[in-house]
Amino acid sequence: MSDETTRRGFLRAGIAGGAALTAGAAAAAGVPDPLITEVQPWASEFGDPVDAVPYGMPIRFESHVVRRNVDWLTESPVSSINFTPIHALEGTITPQGCAFERHHSGAIELSKTDYRLMINGLVDRPLVFTWADLERFPRTVMTAFCECAANGGMEWGGAQLEGCQFTQGMIHNMEYTGIPLRLLLQEAGVKPEGKWIYVEGADASSNGRSIPLDKAMDDVLVAMFANGEALRKEHGYPVRLVVPGWEGNMWVKWLRRVGVYHTAVESREETSKYTDLMADGTARKWTWVMDAKSVITAPSPQNPVRHGPGPLVITGLAWSGHGRIARVDVSTDGGMNWRTARLSGDVKPKALTRFHLDIDWDGQEMLLMSRAIDETGYVQPTKDQLRAIRGLNNVYHNNAIQTWWLKSDGEVENVEVV
Ligand SMILES: Nc1nc2c(c(=O)[nH]1)N[C@H]1C(S)=C(S)[C@@H](COP(=O)(O)O)O[C@H]1N2
Ligand SMILES: [Mo]
């Protein structure tokens, strides 16, 4: 039976039953619905004039769709993180206004006039670019996810936070316009001994990271716009680095310098931080790529089911730093049986992919899971598979399968299946 026939079956059942997919109880009870029978204020008065809001914000009914913090996570708001409300978004693009932020020393205000980008080190011609210079280089457009390596880091020891905003929300996905870093490096002329770049930001932390030259010459972007407009201050205005598929820490904001070197710098951000502490006390380093991962965004703890049995839309996000998502499977019974979800819209490499699965919910509790498989054939691991290799000391690179316990009253809880 195809999904299509199943769906039509639901629709018929819904109409016959007079409930599931119709406009509500009043109609079912034969009572006139005043929203239909009476002229409403919005149909008899003028709305706002066109110039009421020169730059718009979401309508007030959507005021819950905002970034949130986990209070105990960091001591100071200038060295902190907040989380994208992925439970309340659809499609794949993250609006800048609610995309998670991670600052090591606060978000700085840097104007285009004051902006300078230096390329130095092992180059034929050390260069400094102004914003006006950058505007004259050929541009390209690319959609990419940015995921903090610490995304899911609080869940290593067990299910903890109630909502995918907190368990998987250190991620955003934007459409960037910018200059391939390759073009700027070619302008400076990389010497043959140059094998690494070191990128740093103009903020006090500088957040310096080393990147192998091969990656720098491949798909790294010097981004000037996101989602069709200038970068927001908190995402690195006026210029940030986009390092597709690689951990968010390398996506240097307020980019001020690209140094070319024969070796890696081994900065704080790539030694004491952003290395993966293993069970035996040694640390893995250079774990740059974000492996395939997925999460069901609805239903989820912050997005419970508010209707009875019958048609239920399950949806979520999948991504892989290695390329395209090939398939997403969904289980409703804690991983015993799996069904293939629909990949909705474009499937772009190293970008968020939306999946949907339309089911007929019998009103019983379910253990919901999603499992991403990318084009390399890599399968998203269970928490136990991941812990068997990585131990419990870890913070970074938790790409384990998430389980949501959907109860028969529609409420959802973060759990683990053992
Ligand atoms: N200059 C600078 N770049 C930075 C940081 C920073 O503190 N300063 N934080 C990094 C980290 S750890 C992450 S996860 C991403 C977050 O990008 P966002 O704030 O746009 O979400 O930016 C990275 N780039
Ligand atoms: Mo990060």
Side-chain angles (χ1 to χ4, degrees), residues 200-252:
E200 60 184 19
D203 55 327
S205 83
S206 88
N207 192 79
R209 286 294 304 252
S210 308
I211 300 176
L213 189 68
D214 287 352
K215 177 69 173 175
M217 299 300 268
D218 180 17
D219 57 0
V220 175
L221 198 68
V222 174
M224 304 154 82
F225 303 90
N227 298 342
E229 61 181 0
L231 284 161
R232 296 283 169 88
K233 168 184 170 179
E234 59 270 35
H235 299 300
Y237 181 95
V239 173
R240 91 170 301 165
L241 207 63
V242 167
V243 190
W246 288 24
E247 63 187 17
N249 185 254
M250 306 174 94
W251 293 47
V252 169

Side-chain angles (χ1 to χ4, degrees), residues 223-303:
M224 304 154 82
F225 303 90
N227 298 342
E229 61 181 0
L231 284 161
R232 296 283 169 88
K233 168 184 170 179
E234 59 270 35
H235 299 300
Y237 181 95
V239 173
R240 91 170 301 165
L241 207 63
V242 167
V243 190
W246 288 24
E247 63 187 17
N249 185 254
M250 306 174 94
W251 293 47
V252 169
K253 303 190 276 192
W254 315 291
L255 180 68
R256 86 168 158 204
R257 190 172 74 93
V258 178
V260 180
Y261 299 103
H262 68 282
T263 183
V265 166
E266 312 253 3
S267 71
R268 169 189 183 270
E269 298 294 320
E270 53 202 13
T271 51
S272 89
K273 306 292 171 195
Y274 297 98
T275 53
D276 310 334
L277 192 55
M278 306 293 280
D280 66 1
T282 60
R284 295 195 316 176
K285 68 173 183 177
W286 305 155
T287 48
W288 301 307
V289 181
M290 303 307 293
D291 284 325
K293 186 165 169 181
S294 69
V295 64
I296 292 172
T297 53
S300 64
Q302 298 158 286
N303 202 346

Side-chain angles (χ1 to χ4, degrees), residues 81 100 102-104 146-151 170 207 247-250 269 274 396:
I81 183 130
F100 89 94
R102 170 74 176 109
H103 316 307
H104 290 75
C146 172
E147 182 182 19
C148 179
N151 200 14
M170 291 183 193
N207 192 79
E247 63 187 17
N249 185 254
M250 306 174 94
E269 298 294 320
Y274 297 98
Y396 303 111

Side-chain angles (χ1 to χ4, degrees), residues 304-315:
V305 178
R306 292 284 181 238
H307 59 73
L312 172 67
V313 175
I314 298 174
T315 187

